[in-house]
Every structure is written in structure tokens, then in C-alpha cells.
Amino acid sequence: MRYTLALLLILLLSPPVQALDGDALLQRIDRNLNPESYESYRKLINIEPDGRSREFVLFTVKKGLDRVASLFLSPASEKGRATLRQGDNMWLYIPGVGRPIRITSLQSVVGGVFNNSDILQLDYAAEYRVEQVEEQDGRYLLHLKARSRAVAYDRIRLWADQERQLPTRIECLTEDGMLIKTIYFKEIKDFGDGIVRPSVIETDSPLFQGYRSVMIFAGIQAREFKDEVFTLPFMSDLDTLR
């Protein structure tokens, strides 16, 4: 009886446990993964079941939560092409073809398992809200729900390392919970200026058995840009930023 009363007294006098703020956690994960505005160089590799592969090198710039643009540097057949994302809207510029053309998030300008939404990735917090957070053996598991139907994946399960607060794995799901693809974050690298993040991102999909796509970051750094950089007329001038 005395033990029970003592336990009740301890519980009554103990400060309340603060619930984990899932949306604030997701915002920290976003910032640890990328500066809010930055430039990067990365290589995309599409690998087929027979081992054949095709590589692309991209220069990418981002400003704020919802503006991203990329310029193809190689292969020669793609050099000068550019993509632009403003929120849910995306375009592809092809030299000599006139006005940029509209593209969708689920298409892929490079083929492979990464789609345009993956390649022109916004902050996760800009596209998703957190429905639930779990703690599992030194990791967080965030259950995310799309803020609108324009988002590529209706639901996401995001695992993040608790210490670094960086993603380790993401499962992309339909509204009914069917797995579309899994994205793996690997090889933590110090890029300087406080940016320590995965340098390799891989993806596979049960919808494309045997196919893989890999994204390798060669460099990333914080950088500010004028708003005009993220407009249709500037797509042909992205190379001037390098």
C-alpha cells in the first residue's frame, strides 16, 4: 500500500512529458538534409536488370521551400536541357524547341525509377504533414500525409536517425497503402560549412523489378538567388550561375 501511494505521489509531482512535435521534427530533418537555399552538383545513374546503365550530371539550384531548377551538364545529348519547379508546377526546357513544356511529377525526364518529383525535390514539410511519430531503436518513424492531391505520393513513411535527425529510408505509398518505391539514404559526408548529410540516395520499386536508380552528390553549398532565376525565361540562362 505504501509503495502504491509513493508511486502515485511521484507521478503526480512529475512534470508532464512533452509530446514530440512531428511537424517541427520534419522541418529540422529538411534543414539537416539541405540548406533552405543552395546549389548542388550530382550524378544520376539508372541501372537496368542486365547491368547496363546510363548517367546524367546535373547542376541544381533551390530557393526557399518550393522553387527548384536543374541544368543538364551531361551526357552531350542532354546538355543544356533544364527543368524548373514552382510548387506543384514543372517545366522542361529543350534548347532550340522554343517555349518550355509542362511536365508532371510522376513522369521522369531521365527515365529510371526516380521521377520528376524526386529529382526536383522540395522540402518534405512543404508537401506533407506529420500524422504520427514513433520512436524505434534510435530512430524516428514519421507517418506523413500529402497536403494536396498534386503531390506525387499520397503517403510516406520516413525513418530518420534520432541523433543526426537525417533520413535513412523512405517508403512512398499510395492512398491505399501500396508500396510504390523505397528510397535509401547512404554514406554520410561532410560537405563543409556545417552541411553533413547522405551523399548517396538509391531507389528501387516493386513496380520495376530489377531496376535501380542512384543519385550521388558531389557538392552542395548554401547560396542565395534572385527570384528571376526560378522563372521560365531564365531556364535557358541557368548555365550563367555556374
Side-chain angles (χ1 to χ4, degrees):
M1 185 67 179
R2 290 180 180 177
Y3 173 79
T4 302
L5 290 173
L7 180 60
L8 287 173
L9 185 61
I10 290 172
L11 291 174
L12 288 172
L13 295 178
S14 298
V17 176
Q18 296 294 320
L20 188 62
D21 187 333
D23 289 320
L25 173 60
L26 184 59
Q27 291 171 10
R28 291 196 297 273
I29 291 171
D30 279 327
R31 287 291 69 78
N32 291 339
L33 192 58
N34 298 309
E36 185 170 337
S37 296
Y38 68 86
E39 68 172 26
S40 73
Y41 287 88
R42 54 188 169 151
K43 178 183 289 186
L44 297 180
I45 308 171
N46 293 329
I47 305 168
E48 299 185 6
D50 62 5
R52 289 184 299 172
S53 65
R54 191 177 185 200
E55 299 183 1
F56 305 82
V57 176
L58 281 73
F59 169 69
T60 299
V61 295
K62 177 178 177 288
K63 180 172 184 175
L65 301 179
D66 62 354
R67 286 178 285 181
V68 187
S70 284
L71 174 70
F72 285 82
L73 305 181
S74 71
S77 60
E78 306 292 322
K79 188 174 182 179
R81 292 194 180 202
T83 51
L84 171 66
R85 182 173 187 181
Q86 300 171 342
D88 297 327
N89 300 303
M90 302 182 191
W91 293 268
L92 170 65
Y93 166 77
I94 303 174
V97 177
R99 291 183 57 84
I101 59 176
R102 291 292 292 263
I103 55 178
T104 69
S105 61
L106 292 177
Q107 293 174 321
S108 178
V109 293
V110 298
V113 188
F114 283 124
N115 60 33
N116 293 334
S117 179
D118 302 321
I119 297 168
L120 296 170
Q121 179 65 56
L122 304 181
D123 279 13
Y124 287 105
E127 296 190 282
Y128 296 92
R129 57 182 173 81
V130 180
E131 290 189 320
Q132 181 185 357
V133 180
E134 301 177 43
E135 297 187 52
Q136 302 179 343
D137 300 324
R139 296 183 301 171
Y140 293 116
L141 170 55
L142 288 75
H143 298 263
L144 310 182
K145 180 72 172 69
R147 296 183 181 274
S148 76
R149 291 190 174 273
V151 176
Y153 313 113
D154 188 77
R155 294 183 180 276
I156 279 180
R157 289 196 290 254
L158 185 156
W159 283 264
D161 176 83
Q162 283 187 341
E163 182 178 355
R164 294 183 181 273
Q165 296 189 0
L166 283 168
T168 57
R169 184 170 100 244
I170 286 177
E171 292 180 349
C172 306
L173 311 167
T174 65
E175 186 174 4
D176 297 329
M178 184 182 78
L179 179 64
I180 299 175
K181 72 177 58 166
T182 304
I183 302 174
Y184 309 90
F185 296 79
K186 303 179 177 182
E187 299 186 25
I188 300 294
K189 179 179 177 180
D190 188 341
F191 289 92
D193 294 327
I195 302 174
V196 181
R197 52 151 293 161
S199 60
V200 176
I201 302 175
E202 296 185 9
T203 186
D204 55 33
S205 169
L207 306 179
F208 302 97
Q209 291 288 344
Y211 289 84
R212 287 190 305 124
S213 291
V214 182
M215 189 182 301
I216 303 172
F217 284 79
I220 180 170
Q221 64 180 19
R223 182 177 172 184
E224 297 297 324
F225 300 96
K226 296 180 180 178
D227 290 342
E228 67 174 332
V229 167
F230 303 90
T231 61
L232 297 180
F234 198 85
M235 293 181 75
S236 59
D237 297 323
L238 281 173
D239 194 48
T240 63
L241 299 175
R242 298 176 60 223

